[in-house]
Every structure is written in C-alpha cells, then in structure tokens.
Amino acid sequence: GHDFRPAYLRLGAERRALGDPQVLALTATATPRVRDGILDRLVMEDPEVVIAPPHRPNLRLECEVVTLATKPLRAGKLIKKLKRPGIVYCSTTVETEAVYNALTKARIPCARYHGRMRKADREAAQRAFMSKRPMLMVATNAFGMGIDKPDIRFILHYQAPGSLEQYVQEAGRAGRDGKPSRCILLFDPDDMRIQAHLQSKGRPSPVQLRRVASALAAWAEEGRSVGAEDLALAAGVPKTTARAMCAELEAFGMLRLESGEYEVLVSARELGRGADELAKSFETLRKEDTERREALVAYADSTECRSVVLRRWFGEEAPPPCGTCDRCSSGPAAGTTHRRRPSKTG
C-alpha cells in the first residue's frame, strides 16, 4: 500500500498519462473499503472485480489470550512441540531480539530478521531459513515479503499485529505445500497499545502536514522546485511523510513532479487549504486504524469459528464454519484457549 510506497499514490495519474491502458490490480488481502480505494486510486471505471475468500482448509487457526507474564512460558511450550520450520512474529525489534536470544540460549535452531540489522546479516538469515534445515525465524513484519517457502509448518504471533489484514497475510505464509499447518496468535490485550503507537508514528500529524506546506511555499516564493529529501529536511519530517503528502497535493492539482522535484502550481494560501484537507483525511485514516485494532481484539475474543470472523471482515456475508480451527474443533466451552476480557485498544 501507499504507506509502504508513497509513489503508489501516483499510479492513477501515471495511467492517465499513458492513455488509460488496460490495467490489472492484484492484492493478497483487501477489505471492501480497501478495494474501493484501489479502484479510486487507479481511476478504474466499471472494472471486473474477482474476489476469493481468505480461507485455506489446511491452516488451523488458533488463538490464546495471554498476559505479559504468561506469554513467554506458553510460547516456549508451543515452540518445543511445534513441527519446524516456523516463523515467530514480533511487533518490535526489541522483542524480536529478546525472543531470539531466549531461543538461542535454549539451543533451538533459529535466525532473526528485522529492519535494524545490516543488509548482509538479514540476507544471511534469510538464506539459512530458506535452506532445508528445519529451523525457526524470529522476525518483525519486515520478513515475509516475497518469501515463498512451501513447507512452513507454523506461524506463531508472539505479539498481535495491528489488523486482521496483516494477520491473514502473515499467517498465510504457512502451509503453502497444502499440508496441515498451524497459525497461532498469542493475544495479549496490551499488545494493542504497541500497535496504536506504531500506527500513530506512521500517520502524518496536522503539524507535520503544515510544516511541509510551509516549506513548499517557501521554495515556491523563490521560484524553485524541491526534491523530497530536501523538503523533508526543511520541514523536519520523515521523507516518506513528505512524499506521501506531495503525492496527495499533486492529486489535488497543487503540485507537479518533474525530474524528481516538486513544483508548486498554486498560491501559498491554496497550499495551506490543501494541507488542512489532508489533515482531515489522515484523521479519518487514524480512526480506521482504531477500527482495525478493534477488529483484531474481536477476533481474539470471539466464540465463533475463526475463519467465519475473518471471512466476514473481508466482505463475505454468510461464510461457512471451517471445521478445523480451535473454536470449531473444541467449542467455546472446551477450554482450548485461555481467555479474559481484553482491555481497551488505546
């Protein structure tokens, strides 16, 4: 998505510049709202939309509600008995390192992968995991893009992800050979506070948006265009934030990107109004982030079939029970998950 690559926001304009050629848009997971956003961004008129349910019968979905105190012991017991290879997902680099160190001390073959590692070390870890050796990978969500190892026997989420979309993508890396695999979420309600913090860092604030607008106006007054790196430095914001905002302002017709630099096409006042409009749209996105976290909490706490909850979130009206998840095979009263009422998501 454009949070990952702000340039995606420009795809509709680029398509128009190419004369509106036929286009095929593919995504692994998309709710109805996200699908509508794709159609809008790519300026697609009367498209043929093909949707497949996010369900694979060989994956057993499981969830256990734990606490910060009980999680390490429960994870250790699971990891000792689960068939390898497998992936243990954490939300932060700090927790990734902590889990990796604990497994190493326990002499469990494993590697680690996160964005703060050197590229050479990440590549070495990936090569080790992709080999035939049955080992574990402890990673943040930086690991998995483009990974197609067919025999991953389990995905264990040591910390909850920020949305059901992210959970389905990461859990779906198990069992691509069609053989039975387990997808286990260890859900600590306090994990949602971590996700709220991470997501807030990823969304531009109104203050940041106005800083970018002011910096753009200053360059425009001098009759100069500016690149994303210099703009971000002047505005005191991350480069991805500057790029994302410029892509939006370009869609409003307020900027033009030429040879890697942005040229302002409107007055400073109009640019300020554009920043205010963007602030409103990003506030909407923040509310949607909260809804996604709440949906993840509801998934963990639900007594329904796990697959039904997921498929309904992705737009299916009456999905059938899967018959294989922890709820279907044991029922809500069987005690296969340890549950307590979740706290607020923050």
PDB file of all heavy atoms in Angstrom, residues 9-10 13 41 216 244-257 262-268 270-275 277-278:
ATOM      1  N   LEU A   9       0.581   6.264  -4.749  1.00  0.00           N
ATOM      2  CA  LEU A   9      -0.481   7.258  -4.845  1.00  0.00           C
ATOM      3  C   LEU A   9      -0.534   7.901  -6.230  1.00  0.00           C
ATOM      4  O   LEU A   9      -1.546   8.477  -6.608  1.00  0.00           O
ATOM      5  CB  LEU A   9      -0.285   8.347  -3.772  1.00  0.00           C
ATOM      6  CG  LEU A   9      -0.457   7.894  -2.318  1.00  0.00           C
ATOM      7  CD1 LEU A   9       0.046   8.972  -1.363  1.00  0.00           C
ATOM      8  CD2 LEU A   9      -1.916   7.582  -2.030  1.00  0.00           C
ATOM      9  N   ARG A  10       0.551   7.806  -6.994  1.00  0.00           N
ATOM     10  CA  ARG A  10       0.623   8.454  -8.296  1.00  0.00           C
ATOM     11  C   ARG A  10       0.235   7.522  -9.450  1.00  0.00           C
ATOM     12  O   ARG A  10       0.259   7.926 -10.609  1.00  0.00           O
ATOM     13  CB  ARG A  10       2.042   8.983  -8.551  1.00  0.00           C
ATOM     14  CG  ARG A  10       2.562   9.917  -7.468  1.00  0.00           C
ATOM     15  CD  ARG A  10       3.855  10.606  -7.876  1.00  0.00           C
ATOM     16  NE  ARG A  10       3.629  11.564  -8.939  1.00  0.00           N
ATOM     17  CZ  ARG A  10       3.985  11.382 -10.198  1.00  0.00           C
ATOM     18  NH1 ARG A  10       4.572  10.262 -10.584  1.00  0.00           N
ATOM     19  NH2 ARG A  10       3.742  12.298 -11.107  1.00  0.00           N
ATOM     20  N   ALA A  13      -2.513   8.794 -11.886  1.00  0.00           N
ATOM     21  CA  ALA A  13      -2.050   9.871 -12.762  1.00  0.00           C
ATOM     22  C   ALA A  13      -1.121   9.328 -13.842  1.00  0.00           C
ATOM     23  O   ALA A  13      -1.188   9.746 -15.009  1.00  0.00           O
ATOM     24  CB  ALA A  13      -1.335  10.942 -11.937  1.00  0.00           C
ATOM     25  N   ARG A  41      -8.009   5.013  -6.719  1.00  0.00           N
ATOM     26  CA  ARG A  41      -6.639   5.474  -6.972  1.00  0.00           C
ATOM     27  C   ARG A  41      -6.192   5.179  -8.401  1.00  0.00           C
ATOM     28  O   ARG A  41      -5.452   5.950  -9.001  1.00  0.00           O
ATOM     29  CB  ARG A  41      -5.678   4.808  -5.994  1.00  0.00           C
ATOM     30  CG  ARG A  41      -5.760   5.358  -4.602  1.00  0.00           C
ATOM     31  CD  ARG A  41      -5.239   6.773  -4.531  1.00  0.00           C
ATOM     32  NE  ARG A  41      -5.295   7.295  -3.175  1.00  0.00           N
ATOM     33  CZ  ARG A  41      -4.994   8.525  -2.865  1.00  0.00           C
ATOM     34  NH1 ARG A  41      -4.616   9.380  -3.810  1.00  0.00           N
ATOM     35  NH2 ARG A  41      -5.066   8.943  -1.624  1.00  0.00           N
ATOM     36  N   LEU A 216       7.145  24.034   1.206  1.00  0.00           N
ATOM     37  CA  LEU A 216       6.856  24.098  -0.228  1.00  0.00           C
ATOM     38  C   LEU A 216       6.598  25.541  -0.660  1.00  0.00           C
ATOM     39  O   LEU A 216       7.083  25.988  -1.706  1.00  0.00           O
ATOM     40  CB  LEU A 216       5.630  23.240  -0.556  1.00  0.00           C
ATOM     41  CG  LEU A 216       5.842  21.724  -0.629  1.00  0.00           C
ATOM     42  CD1 LEU A 216       4.495  21.015  -0.659  1.00  0.00           C
ATOM     43  CD2 LEU A 216       6.669  21.354  -1.861  1.00  0.00           C
ATOM     44  N   ALA A 244       4.460  11.235   0.673  1.00  0.00           N
ATOM     45  CA  ALA A 244       3.037  10.905   0.715  1.00  0.00           C
ATOM     46  C   ALA A 244       2.180  12.163   0.596  1.00  0.00           C
ATOM     47  O   ALA A 244       1.193  12.197  -0.150  1.00  0.00           O
ATOM     48  CB  ALA A 244       2.706  10.160   2.004  1.00  0.00           C
ATOM     49  N   MET A 245       2.570  13.208   1.313  1.00  0.00           N
ATOM     50  CA  MET A 245       1.797  14.440   1.247  1.00  0.00           C
ATOM     51  C   MET A 245       1.884  15.075  -0.137  1.00  0.00           C
ATOM     52  O   MET A 245       0.887  15.559  -0.677  1.00  0.00           O
ATOM     53  CB  MET A 245       2.292  15.420   2.305  1.00  0.00           C
ATOM     54  CG  MET A 245       1.464  16.694   2.298  1.00  0.00           C
ATOM     55  SD  MET A 245       1.981  17.873   3.544  1.00  0.00           S
ATOM     56  CE  MET A 245       0.910  19.246   3.118  1.00  0.00           C
ATOM     57  N   CYS A 246       3.074  15.070  -0.728  1.00  0.00           N
ATOM     58  CA  CYS A 246       3.232  15.658  -2.058  1.00  0.00           C
ATOM     59  C   CYS A 246       2.415  14.902  -3.104  1.00  0.00           C
ATOM     60  O   CYS A 246       1.849  15.505  -4.017  1.00  0.00           O
ATOM     61  CB  CYS A 246       4.704  15.694  -2.458  1.00  0.00           C
ATOM     62  SG  CYS A 246       5.667  16.944  -1.581  1.00  0.00           S
ATOM     63  N   ALA A 247       2.348  13.576  -2.958  1.00  0.00           N
ATOM     64  CA  ALA A 247       1.541  12.793  -3.888  1.00  0.00           C
ATOM     65  C   ALA A 247       0.070  13.181  -3.784  1.00  0.00           C
ATOM     66  O   ALA A 247      -0.639  13.278  -4.792  1.00  0.00           O
ATOM     67  CB  ALA A 247       1.723  11.307  -3.616  1.00  0.00           C
ATOM     68  N   GLU A 248      -0.383  13.416  -2.564  1.00  0.00           N
ATOM     69  CA  GLU A 248      -1.783  13.831  -2.371  1.00  0.00           C
ATOM     70  C   GLU A 248      -2.019  15.231  -2.944  1.00  0.00           C
ATOM     71  O   GLU A 248      -3.030  15.480  -3.606  1.00  0.00           O
ATOM     72  CB  GLU A 248      -2.124  13.810  -0.877  1.00  0.00           C
ATOM     73  CG  GLU A 248      -2.072  12.452  -0.229  1.00  0.00           C
ATOM     74  CD  GLU A 248      -3.332  11.630  -0.487  1.00  0.00           C
ATOM     75  OE1 GLU A 248      -4.168  12.047  -1.307  1.00  0.00           O
ATOM     76  OE2 GLU A 248      -3.459  10.547   0.125  1.00  0.00           O
ATOM     77  N   LEU A 249      -1.101  16.155  -2.672  1.00  0.00           N
ATOM     78  CA  LEU A 249      -1.250  17.519  -3.187  1.00  0.00           C
ATOM     79  C   LEU A 249      -1.183  17.537  -4.714  1.00  0.00           C
ATOM     80  O   LEU A 249      -1.847  18.345  -5.368  1.00  0.00           O
ATOM     81  CB  LEU A 249      -0.167  18.427  -2.595  1.00  0.00           C
ATOM     82  CG  LEU A 249      -0.287  18.718  -1.096  1.00  0.00           C
ATOM     83  CD1 LEU A 249       0.934  19.480  -0.604  1.00  0.00           C
ATOM     84  CD2 LEU A 249      -1.564  19.504  -0.798  1.00  0.00           C
ATOM     85  N   GLU A 250      -0.393  16.627  -5.261  1.00  0.00           N
ATOM     86  CA  GLU A 250      -0.325  16.510  -6.720  1.00  0.00           C
ATOM     87  C   GLU A 250      -1.669  16.053  -7.276  1.00  0.00           C
ATOM     88  O   GLU A 250      -2.134  16.541  -8.311  1.00  0.00           O
ATOM     89  CB  GLU A 250       0.775  15.522  -7.107  1.00  0.00           C
ATOM     90  CG  GLU A 250       1.006  15.446  -8.612  1.00  0.00           C
ATOM     91  CD  GLU A 250       2.049  14.407  -8.965  1.00  0.00           C
ATOM     92  OE1 GLU A 250       2.448  13.633  -8.089  1.00  0.00           O
ATOM     93  OE2 GLU A 250       2.452  14.361 -10.144  1.00  0.00           O
ATOM     94  N   ALA A 251      -2.323  15.108  -6.557  1.00  0.00           N
ATOM     95  CA  ALA A 251      -3.643  14.643  -6.982  1.00  0.00           C
ATOM     96  C   ALA A 251      -4.669  15.770  -6.924  1.00  0.00           C
ATOM     97  O   ALA A 251      -5.621  15.799  -7.716  1.00  0.00           O
ATOM     98  CB  ALA A 251      -4.095  13.476  -6.106  1.00  0.00           C
ATOM     99  N   PHE A 252      -4.470  16.732  -5.992  1.00  0.00           N
ATOM    100  CA  PHE A 252      -5.344  17.902  -5.902  1.00  0.00           C
ATOM    101  C   PHE A 252      -5.039  18.939  -6.990  1.00  0.00           C
ATOM    102  O   PHE A 252      -5.734  19.944  -7.104  1.00  0.00           O
ATOM    103  CB  PHE A 252      -5.188  18.594  -4.536  1.00  0.00           C
ATOM    104  CG  PHE A 252      -5.764  17.829  -3.376  1.00  0.00           C
ATOM    105  CD1 PHE A 252      -5.519  18.244  -2.074  1.00  0.00           C
ATOM    106  CD2 PHE A 252      -6.552  16.712  -3.575  1.00  0.00           C
ATOM    107  CE1 PHE A 252      -6.040  17.557  -0.997  1.00  0.00           C
ATOM    108  CE2 PHE A 252      -7.078  16.011  -2.498  1.00  0.00           C
ATOM    109  CZ  PHE A 252      -6.818  16.431  -1.204  1.00  0.00           C
ATOM    110  N   GLY A 253      -3.975  18.713  -7.762  1.00  0.00           N
ATOM    111  CA  GLY A 253      -3.594  19.673  -8.796  1.00  0.00           C
ATOM    112  C   GLY A 253      -2.787  20.840  -8.274  1.00  0.00           C
ATOM    113  O   GLY A 253      -2.651  21.862  -8.948  1.00  0.00           O
ATOM    114  N   MET A 254      -2.207  20.703  -7.080  1.00  0.00           N
ATOM    115  CA  MET A 254      -1.468  21.796  -6.462  1.00  0.00           C
ATOM    116  C   MET A 254       0.039  21.700  -6.705  1.00  0.00           C
ATOM    117  O   MET A 254       0.751  22.694  -6.546  1.00  0.00           O
ATOM    118  CB  MET A 254      -1.734  21.827  -4.952  1.00  0.00           C
ATOM    119  CG  MET A 254      -3.185  22.114  -4.622  1.00  0.00           C
ATOM    120  SD  MET A 254      -3.479  22.203  -2.851  1.00  0.00           S
ATOM    121  CE  MET A 254      -5.194  22.764  -2.854  1.00  0.00           C
ATOM    122  N   LEU A 255       0.521  20.516  -7.062  1.00  0.00           N
ATOM    123  CA  LEU A 255       1.941  20.304  -7.324  1.00  0.00           C
ATOM    124  C   LEU A 255       2.117  19.579  -8.651  1.00  0.00           C
ATOM    125  O   LEU A 255       1.193  18.944  -9.157  1.00  0.00           O
ATOM    126  CB  LEU A 255       2.584  19.452  -6.223  1.00  0.00           C
ATOM    127  CG  LEU A 255       2.662  19.954  -4.789  1.00  0.00           C
ATOM    128  CD1 LEU A 255       3.382  18.924  -3.938  1.00  0.00           C
ATOM    129  CD2 LEU A 255       3.353  21.286  -4.715  1.00  0.00           C
ATOM    130  N   ARG A 256       3.338  19.655  -9.151  1.00  0.00           N
ATOM    131  CA  ARG A 256       3.709  18.881 -10.323  1.00  0.00           C
ATOM    132  C   ARG A 256       5.091  18.308 -10.083  1.00  0.00           C
ATOM    133  O   ARG A 256       5.996  19.008  -9.639  1.00  0.00           O
ATOM    134  CB  ARG A 256       3.715  19.761 -11.576  1.00  0.00           C
ATOM    135  CG  ARG A 256       4.141  19.002 -12.858  1.00  0.00           C
ATOM    136  CD  ARG A 256       3.910  19.851 -14.087  1.00  0.00           C
ATOM    137  NE  ARG A 256       4.615  21.126 -14.006  1.00  0.00           N
ATOM    138  CZ  ARG A 256       4.259  22.227 -14.665  1.00  0.00           C
ATOM    139  NH1 ARG A 256       3.191  22.212 -15.446  1.00  0.00           N
ATOM    140  NH2 ARG A 256       4.965  23.338 -14.545  1.00  0.00           N
ATOM    141  N   LEU A 257       5.236  16.998 -10.346  1.00  0.00           N
ATOM    142  CA  LEU A 257       6.521  16.339 -10.181  1.00  0.00           C
ATOM    143  C   LEU A 257       7.232  16.280 -11.525  1.00  0.00           C
ATOM    144  O   LEU A 257       6.740  15.691 -12.482  1.00  0.00           O
ATOM    145  CB  LEU A 257       6.320  14.915  -9.642  1.00  0.00           C
ATOM    146  CG  LEU A 257       7.582  14.086  -9.385  1.00  0.00           C
ATOM    147  CD1 LEU A 257       8.465  14.761  -8.337  1.00  0.00           C
ATOM    148  CD2 LEU A 257       7.228  12.676  -8.954  1.00  0.00           C
ATOM    149  N   TYR A 262       9.474  18.692  -6.959  1.00  0.00           N
ATOM    150  CA  TYR A 262       8.094  19.175  -6.905  1.00  0.00           C
ATOM    151  C   TYR A 262       8.034  20.672  -7.194  1.00  0.00           C
ATOM    152  O   TYR A 262       8.778  21.463  -6.606  1.00  0.00           O
ATOM    153  CB  TYR A 262       7.485  18.894  -5.534  1.00  0.00           C
ATOM    154  CG  TYR A 262       7.400  17.426  -5.208  1.00  0.00           C
ATOM    155  CD1 TYR A 262       8.355  16.830  -4.374  1.00  0.00           C
ATOM    156  CD2 TYR A 262       6.401  16.630  -5.751  1.00  0.00           C
ATOM    157  CE1 TYR A 262       8.285  15.472  -4.071  1.00  0.00           C
ATOM    158  CE2 TYR A 262       6.327  15.273  -5.464  1.00  0.00           C
ATOM    159  CZ  TYR A 262       7.268  14.702  -4.624  1.00  0.00           C
ATOM    160  OH  TYR A 262       7.209  13.359  -4.340  1.00  0.00           O
ATOM    161  N   GLU A 263       7.133  21.045  -8.091  1.00  0.00           N
ATOM    162  CA  GLU A 263       6.897  22.444  -8.427  1.00  0.00           C
ATOM    163  C   GLU A 263       5.498  22.826  -7.964  1.00  0.00           C
ATOM    164  O   GLU A 263       4.515  22.139  -8.268  1.00  0.00           O
ATOM    165  CB  GLU A 263       7.013  22.651  -9.935  1.00  0.00           C
ATOM    166  CG  GLU A 263       6.724  24.076 -10.374  1.00  0.00           C
ATOM    167  CD  GLU A 263       6.694  24.208 -11.886  1.00  0.00           C
ATOM    168  OE1 GLU A 263       6.975  23.208 -12.587  1.00  0.00           O
ATOM    169  OE2 GLU A 263       6.373  25.313 -12.367  1.00  0.00           O
ATOM    170  N   VAL A 264       5.391  23.917  -7.204  1.00  0.00           N
ATOM    171  CA  VAL A 264       4.102  24.374  -6.684  1.00  0.00           C
ATOM    172  C   VAL A 264       3.346  25.127  -7.783  1.00  0.00           C
ATOM    173  O   VAL A 264       3.897  26.010  -8.438  1.00  0.00           O
ATOM    174  CB  VAL A 264       4.296  25.285  -5.453  1.00  0.00           C
ATOM    175  CG1 VAL A 264       2.953  25.804  -4.961  1.00  0.00           C
ATOM    176  CG2 VAL A 264       5.010  24.521  -4.342  1.00  0.00           C
ATOM    177  N   LEU A 265       2.063  24.787  -7.974  1.00  0.00           N
ATOM    178  CA  LEU A 265       1.256  25.378  -9.041  1.00  0.00           C
ATOM    179  C   LEU A 265       0.199  26.342  -8.540  1.00  0.00           C
ATOM    180  O   LEU A 265      -0.532  26.942  -9.343  1.00  0.00           O
ATOM    181  CB  LEU A 265       0.559  24.251  -9.841  1.00  0.00           C
ATOM    182  CG  LEU A 265       1.471  23.170 -10.435  1.00  0.00           C
ATOM    183  CD1 LEU A 265       0.623  22.102 -11.117  1.00  0.00           C
ATOM    184  CD2 LEU A 265       2.472  23.786 -11.416  1.00  0.00           C
ATOM    185  N   VAL A 266       0.102  26.515  -7.210  1.00  0.00           N
ATOM    186  CA  VAL A 266      -0.949  27.361  -6.635  1.00  0.00           C
ATOM    187  C   VAL A 266      -0.332  28.336  -5.627  1.00  0.00           C
ATOM    188  O   VAL A 266       0.860  28.285  -5.338  1.00  0.00           O
ATOM    189  CB  VAL A 266      -2.028  26.503  -5.941  1.00  0.00           C
ATOM    190  CG1 VAL A 266      -2.745  25.600  -6.946  1.00  0.00           C
ATOM    191  CG2 VAL A 266      -1.418  25.673  -4.816  1.00  0.00           C
ATOM    192  N   SER A 267      -1.167  29.197  -5.094  1.00  0.00           N
ATOM    193  CA  SER A 267      -0.693  30.167  -4.106  1.00  0.00           C
ATOM    194  C   SER A 267      -0.443  29.494  -2.765  1.00  0.00           C
ATOM    195  O   SER A 267      -0.911  28.377  -2.513  1.00  0.00           O
ATOM    196  CB  SER A 267      -1.733  31.279  -3.919  1.00  0.00           C
ATOM    197  OG  SER A 267      -2.901  30.756  -3.303  1.00  0.00           O
ATOM    198  N   ALA A 268       0.282  30.205  -1.899  1.00  0.00           N
ATOM    199  CA  ALA A 268       0.571  29.673  -0.570  1.00  0.00           C
ATOM    200  C   ALA A 268      -0.714  29.452   0.216  1.00  0.00           C
ATOM    201  O   ALA A 268      -0.830  28.478   0.981  1.00  0.00           O
ATOM    202  CB  ALA A 268       1.495  30.635   0.190  1.00  0.00           C
ATOM    203  N   GLU A 270      -3.733  28.674  -1.011  1.00  0.00           N
ATOM    204  CA  GLU A 270      -4.364  27.447  -1.509  1.00  0.00           C
ATOM    205  C   GLU A 270      -3.629  26.209  -1.030  1.00  0.00           C
ATOM    206  O   GLU A 270      -4.231  25.183  -0.724  1.00  0.00           O
ATOM    207  CB  GLU A 270      -4.417  27.471  -3.036  1.00  0.00           C
ATOM    208  CG  GLU A 270      -5.433  28.432  -3.618  1.00  0.00           C
ATOM    209  CD  GLU A 270      -5.423  28.381  -5.131  1.00  0.00           C
ATOM    210  OE1 GLU A 270      -6.186  27.561  -5.692  1.00  0.00           O
ATOM    211  OE2 GLU A 270      -4.648  29.152  -5.737  1.00  0.00           O
ATOM    212  N   LEU A 271      -2.301  26.307  -0.974  1.00  0.00           N
ATOM    213  CA  LEU A 271      -1.495  25.192  -0.490  1.00  0.00           C
ATOM    214  C   LEU A 271      -1.843  24.890   0.970  1.00  0.00           C
ATOM    215  O   LEU A 271      -1.943  23.727   1.372  1.00  0.00           O
ATOM    216  CB  LEU A 271      -0.013  25.531  -0.621  1.00  0.00           C
ATOM    217  CG  LEU A 271       0.992  24.376  -0.681  1.00  0.00           C
ATOM    218  CD1 LEU A 271       0.696  23.460  -1.866  1.00  0.00           C
ATOM    219  CD2 LEU A 271       2.406  24.929  -0.783  1.00  0.00           C
ATOM    220  N   GLY A 272      -2.059  25.929   1.754  1.00  0.00           N
ATOM    221  CA  GLY A 272      -2.444  25.752   3.152  1.00  0.00           C
ATOM    222  C   GLY A 272      -3.800  25.086   3.281  1.00  0.00           C
ATOM    223  O   GLY A 272      -4.003  24.229   4.155  1.00  0.00           O
ATOM    224  N   ARG A 273      -4.734  25.479   2.408  1.00  0.00           N
ATOM    225  CA  ARG A 273      -6.048  24.842   2.430  1.00  0.00           C
ATOM    226  C   ARG A 273      -5.926  23.357   2.094  1.00  0.00           C
ATOM    227  O   ARG A 273      -6.603  22.511   2.678  1.00  0.00           O
ATOM    228  CB  ARG A 273      -6.992  25.521   1.417  1.00  0.00           C
ATOM    229  CG  ARG A 273      -7.438  26.918   1.802  1.00  0.00           C
ATOM    230  CD  ARG A 273      -8.665  27.312   1.018  1.00  0.00           C
ATOM    231  NE  ARG A 273      -8.918  28.738   1.105  1.00  0.00           N
ATOM    232  CZ  ARG A 273      -8.669  29.615   0.141  1.00  0.00           C
ATOM    233  NH1 ARG A 273      -8.161  29.195  -1.013  1.00  0.00           N
ATOM    234  NH2 ARG A 273      -8.930  30.895   0.297  1.00  0.00           N
ATOM    235  N   GLY A 274      -5.066  23.058   1.128  1.00  0.00           N
ATOM    236  CA  GLY A 274      -4.836  21.659   0.773  1.00  0.00           C
ATOM    237  C   GLY A 274      -4.294  20.862   1.945  1.00  0.00           C
ATOM    238  O   GLY A 274      -4.705  19.720   2.174  1.00  0.00           O
ATOM    239  N   ALA A 275      -3.378  21.464   2.702  1.00  0.00           N
ATOM    240  CA  ALA A 275      -2.818  20.786   3.876  1.00  0.00           C
ATOM    241  C   ALA A 275      -3.904  20.531   4.919  1.00  0.00           C
ATOM    242  O   ALA A 275      -3.932  19.479   5.564  1.00  0.00           O
ATOM    243  CB  ALA A 275      -1.698  21.624   4.480  1.00  0.00           C
ATOM    244  N   GLU A 277      -7.103  20.078   4.308  1.00  0.00           N
ATOM    245  CA  GLU A 277      -7.938  18.980   3.801  1.00  0.00           C
ATOM    246  C   GLU A 277      -7.256  17.633   4.022  1.00  0.00           C
ATOM    247  O   GLU A 277      -7.897  16.640   4.379  1.00  0.00           O
ATOM    248  CB  GLU A 277      -8.231  19.176   2.317  1.00  0.00           C
ATOM    249  CG  GLU A 277      -9.217  20.296   2.027  1.00  0.00           C
ATOM    250  CD  GLU A 277     -10.578  20.043   2.666  1.00  0.00           C
ATOM    251  OE1 GLU A 277     -11.071  18.889   2.560  1.00  0.00           O
ATOM    252  OE2 GLU A 277     -11.126  20.958   3.297  1.00  0.00           O
ATOM    253  N   LEU A 278      -5.951  17.619   3.798  1.00  0.00           N
ATOM    254  CA  LEU A 278      -5.205  16.383   4.018  1.00  0.00           C
ATOM    255  C   LEU A 278      -5.213  15.983   5.490  1.00  0.00           C
ATOM    256  O   LEU A 278      -5.301  14.798   5.818  1.00  0.00           O
ATOM    257  CB  LEU A 278      -3.761  16.541   3.553  1.00  0.00           C
ATOM    258  CG  LEU A 278      -3.505  16.428   2.054  1.00  0.00           C
ATOM    259  CD1 LEU A 278      -2.020  16.542   1.775  1.00  0.00           C
ATOM    260  CD2 LEU A 278      -4.019  15.110   1.528  1.00  0.00           C
TER     261      LEU A 278
END
